[in-house]
Each structure stands twice: as C-alpha cells, then as structure tokens.
Amino acid sequence: KSSTICSCRPRDRPMSASYSYSSPSRSRSPRGLGVGSYVEVTGLETATALNGRRGVVVSASDERWAVLLEVDDVDGPALKAVPKEKLQMVKLGEEARCLRFRNVPEGYTSSLMREELEDEGFGPDEVLYLLHDMQQHQTYVFAASARVAQQIVTNFDGRRLERLGPGELPDSCLRQNVKLEWL
C-alpha cells in the first residue's frame, strides 16, 4: 500500500489517545500553522520514529499541538502531542482548503469516506488528501480549491452517510447527519 498524499489507507482499529478539539478560529501561529494545517513532524529527539510523519493539526495550545498522524497501515492514524516548533507546514497546493466532516458513522474508514466522495464525483484531482479519525468520528479532507470545497459542503453537509447500511433511527435523526466545517 502506498503512503502518497493522494491515497487513503483503511483504518480498522481505533486510536488510543484522546484529545479535545479546539475551535478552528483559535491558535494560528505566525508561520501560518493552525487547526486544519497539513504538517510534517521534524526534529524530535525522543520520539524519533515520528520524524517525517505527516498529518493534520486537530487542536492547538501554547506548548503542544495535537496532530492526527499517519503512523502505519496496521494501527491507522494516531493522535500525538507535538511541540509546535517541531511542526513544518506542508503545502498541498496554492488553493487547497481543509474541511472537517463531523458525525461520521461508527465503522467508517478512510477508504469508505473516499468511496463516498468518489460516488459524488470527487476523485484524486479534487480531493488531495483525506485522513479519518475513527475515535472522534471525524474526517479531514483537503480539497484542491475553495470551489471544490464548497461543492463538497453542498453535497454532504446535513446528509446521512449510510454506506454501512441504514441503522435504526436514533432519538434524533439529526445525530447521524454529517456536518462540515471549513478549517
């Protein structure tokens, strides 16, 4: 399996770390890093295995930022607390925009989310990168442009994802509708 930016690997196991997610409007550093940034870890002296790993900033504080990192094909992505000075922003394209899907149904993986997007006509040229957080039921999608991001929002915001089959209706049907936010 390839670990290139455009490919998505299935995530079959939940992550062990737990972090609370901050508002996307907070904690933007002078280097342009903030929640929703696509980053690479560099210069760690203790957890050197994380150097070179890429992922998405999911929350930020003064000292350490929570980053959902691609770790390996077996365990899937993992949340790691990384000092902000050890994060390097990676450009996916001049016009790339990050979206966060919330309320993704349990059991979804990166590949199922990729299928949902492809069924709506969003292929590798439109979706540059996708990373699914099974623990928080969220998916981070980097669209090629603001226009593509807006079309993804139009197609998916408030929609119920049922690729795993329709489930029993909960007390509130809205609980299962995905919500999208710009990061």
Side-chain angles (χ1 to χ4, degrees), residues 11-27:
R11 309 299 184 204
D12 297 317
R13 295 186 187 158
M15 295 171 297
S16 59
S18 176
Y19 291 90
S20 62
Y21 291 86
S22 70
S23 163
S25 62
R26 293 160 133 184
S27 301

Side-chain angles (χ1 to χ4, degrees), residues 11-12 24 32 48 52 58 60 63 70 74 92 94 97 100 102 116-117 119 138 140 146-147 173 183:
R11 309 299 184 204
D12 297 317
T48 57
V58 297
E63 296 299 317
E70 296 179 18
V74 176
L92 290 173
E94 288 302 314
R97 299 291 185 268
R100 176 168 41 196
R102 292 179 174 264
E116 290 278 1
L117 288 158
D119 285 353
Q138 298 179 359
Y140 295 85
R147 182 191 59 74
C173 292
L183 299 181

Side-chain angles (χ1 to χ4, degrees), residues 28 44 103 105 118 125 143:
R28 192 112 344 230
L44 290 178
N103 298 335
E118 287 175 351
D125 291 338

Side-chain angles (χ1 to χ4, degrees), residues 1 7 31 33 57 66-67 75 102 105-106 122 126 132 145 159 180:
K1 295 179 182 181
S7 73
R31 296 183 300 163
L33 288 174
V57 175
V67 181
D75 294 326
R102 292 179 174 264
E106 190 165 336
F122 301 105
E126 292 82 27
H132 181 67
S145 68
R159 186 171 127 188
L180 274 88

Side-chain angles (χ1 to χ4, degrees), residues 131-142:
L131 191 61
H132 181 67
D133 181 342
M134 291 178 72
Q135 181 179 356
Q136 297 295 324
H137 306 287
Q138 298 179 359
T139 300
Y140 295 85
V141 172
F142 286 84

Side-chain angles (χ1 to χ4, degrees), residues 150-165:
Q150 184 59 55
Q151 190 61 52
I152 291 171
V153 170
T154 300
N155 288 22
F156 286 95
D157 194 35
R159 186 171 127 188
R160 191 167 172 199
L161 301 178
E162 295 184 347
R163 189 160 293 284
L164 296 175

Side-chain angles (χ1 to χ4, degrees), residues 26-77:
R26 293 160 133 184
S27 301
R28 192 112 344 230
S29 79
R31 296 183 300 163
L33 288 174
V35 174
S37 294
Y38 182 60
V39 296
E40 182 174 317
V41 178
T42 61
L44 290 178
E45 296 173 10
T46 52
T48 57
L50 296 179
N51 288 329
R53 300 288 182 179
R54 292 183 173 186
V56 180
V57 175
V58 297
S59 72
S61 68
D62 290 339
E63 296 299 317
R64 293 186 173 269
W65 290 18
V67 181
L68 184 63
L69 290 173
E70 296 179 18
V71 177
D72 59 42
D73 290 336
V74 176
D75 294 326

